[in-house]
Amino acid sequence: MPSMFRSDLLKGKRILVTGGGTGLGKEMADEYAMLGAEIYICGRRGPVLEETAQEISKTRGVKVTPLICDIRVPEAVEDTVQRIFNEGPLDGLVNNAAGNFISRTKDLSPRGFMAISDIVFRGSFFMTLACGKRWIEAKQKANVISILTTWVWNGGPFTVPSAMSKAGLNVMTKSLAVEWAPYGIRLNAIAPGPFPTKGAWERLNPGSMRSKEMGSTEDASSQTNPMGRVGEMQELRNLAVFLMADGVDYLSGETIAIDGAGFLAGGGNFSQLAKLTDADWDSIREMIKGANEKDKAKRTV
Ligand code: HXC
Ligand code: NAP
């Protein structure tokens, strides 16, 4: 599926994608770069960011800067954003970085809750604030897109810290769309349905990582979706460009689902996990732990 847009649509724009080293963040960063934007990506794993930045920059012929930053740490966010603005103001921010895993809520420790909410709820706010105050000071028109989930509308059983945090960002989007409209700053959000990525599937659908079927029509996410399939990355890439580009300046404060109507049909969340046994949950937790440990070993901060 080709891009829907003119190849120089985003030329001259400077965009930061948090968590842009992997998954959906990498896809969106690549699409923006393909349409001519200069890109910054941030995350905690230096080598992962370096590799992605080199790959995109080589294929798309634009500057892509990898920055190591743990968005849970407000000082690190300030340093990172200041470093970028020293080179020139950003035009766009994509709050894409997140942490998540499925768990019965009764099994969560306070640290387990904070492991997710500190990244999603607090980290995304720190990023939005660090950029927003600079845009307001410089009287610079700008654009924020936050990547949410459809659970912001109906709740997220077995993913409660994520659902609560994303719901908070949904309200942030609506609140700041109003508060910052006079400054020319737009805030919108995307609520994707299932778009298989290694990071999400290892933590939300760990059994399916064992087979080659991640995202195939045999995958549970496909079976329950009215369209009988998961999302295609190009579909998400197109929506992320539409919201970032000039031309829909009157569009702000909206959260748009891109989920094959999964939310409307059946809620699109993990309610079906109520069937799992204690033993199932023990083995899921072990699988997620293995994935977490492997990723942690690659972290730079
Ligand atoms: C219960 C768990 C657990 C599990 C971890 N914990 N996994 N509790 N069940 N499966 C608990 C630990 O026991 C510990 O608490 C606490 O969480 C912190 O664990 P750490 O490993 O030290 O956390 P940390 O190093 O901060 O890593 C954060 C992380 C990790 C969220 C746990 O997974 C991460 O960095 N993820 C980033 C990438 C990611 O998650 N991508 C998926 C996004 S997908 P105790 O008390 O024991 O010390 C997404 C998709 C949504 O959001 C929509 C799909 C349709
Ligand atoms: P992913 O590949 O695991 O992406 C998460 C990214 O966030 C990683 O690059 C990770 O990099 C970064 N990150 C995590 N904690 C961070 C921190 N403290 N500081 C900086 N960066 C951090 O998973 P994904 O599926 O692409 O998810 C991307 C976004 O889409 C998330 O917001 C997710 O909730 C949303 N989403 C995904 C789906 C789906 O089906 N895939 C559906 C709905 C919504 P490091 O580990 O190197 O820091």
Side-chain angles (χ1 to χ4, degrees):
M1 186 188 300
S3 172
M4 295 163 62
F5 301 103
R6 223 181 51 219
S7 63
D8 63 347
L9 186 73
L10 299 179
K11 197 158 191 250
K13 292 213 183 288
R14 306 174 79 251
I15 301 168
L16 166 62
V17 181
T18 69
T22 63
L24 306 190
K26 179 177 173 182
E27 294 284 342
M28 291 183 281
D30 184 54
E31 187 73 14
Y32 292 150
M34 191 178 87
L35 300 176
E38 181 180 337
I39 304 297
Y40 291 88
I41 54 176
C42 72
R44 295 164 299 176
R45 288 167 291 170
V48 171
L49 293 165
E50 285 284 347
E51 196 182 319
T52 296
Q54 274 177 26
E55 185 188 318
I56 299 179
S57 157
K58 202 165 145 201
T59 37
R60 307 303 177 193
V62 296
K63 191 171 164 204
V64 182
T65 308
L67 295 168
I68 295 160
C69 174
D70 184 340
I71 65 165
R72 292 174 294 189
V73 182
E75 296 78 11
V77 170
E78 268 295 314
D79 285 354
T80 301
V81 172
Q82 188 54 50
R83 210 173 132 186
I84 298 172
F85 275 72
N86 286 345
E87 294 176 6
L90 281 173
D91 300 278
L93 163 69
V94 183
N95 285 317
N96 163 80
N100 203 352
F101 50 75
I102 46 168
S103 171
R104 291 183 292 199
T105 304
K106 74 177 184 63
D107 298 337
L108 287 174
S109 65
R111 269 175 46 80
F113 178 82
M114 288 187 291
I116 294 169
S117 60
D118 280 359
I119 305 172
V120 181
F121 182 69
R122 298 173 77 233
S124 305
F125 175 74
F126 297 149
M127 263 295 166
T128 307
L129 179 64
C131 293
K133 64 187 188 188
R134 288 171 174 80
W135 288 325
I136 291 168
E137 171 77 25
K139 298 190 169 48
Q140 152 105 28
K141 209 177 126 186
N143 208 332
V144 179
I145 299 173
S146 297
I147 307 302
L148 308 181
T149 63
T150 57
W151 315 330
V152 302
W153 297 304
N154 65 334
F158 306 101
T159 51
V160 166
S162 167
M164 288 172 67
S165 302
K166 300 273 191 189
L169 297 183
N170 192 37
V171 172
M172 177 190 81
T173 299
K174 292 183 187 311
S175 311
L176 292 180
V178 176
E179 190 176 329
W180 290 355
Y183 305 109
I185 302 170
R186 294 199 290 134
L187 292 98
N188 289 293
I190 297 175
F195 284 75
T197 63
K198 184 168 174 292
W201 258 236
E202 279 177 344
R203 294 169 175 93
L204 298 172
N205 207 353
S208 72
M209 288 299 294
R210 286 191 177 144
S211 68
K212 286 190 214 116
E213 278 130 25
M214 182 170 88
S216 80
T217 47
E218 282 160 46
D219 187 298
S221 334
S222 297
Q223 283 172 5
T224 54
N225 188 280
M227 292 193 186
R229 65 172 177 92
V230 294
E232 284 186 29
M233 289 301 177
Q234 189 61 52
E235 296 170 323
L236 178 85
R237 290 164 71 121
N238 288 341
L239 179 57
V241 172
F242 172 76
L243 289 175
M244 184 59 76
D246 295 332
V248 282
D249 292 11
Y250 211 43
L251 173 55
S252 194
E254 290 300 319
T255 297
I256 301 176
I258 177 163
D259 71 337
F263 159 69
L264 293 172
N269 61 29
F270 284 105
S271 57
Q272 74 281 4
L273 299 188
K275 291 190 279 228
L276 299 186
T277 63
D278 286 350
D280 292 333
W281 279 111
D282 286 345
S283 92
I284 283 170
R285 193 171 172 137
E286 280 312 303
M287 281 190 266
I288 294 174
K289 202 167 150 198
N292 283 344
E293 292 310 321
K294 261 196 273 148
D295 280 359
K296 235 189 251 189
K298 292 193 202 138
R299 280 187 210 159
T300 316
V301 286

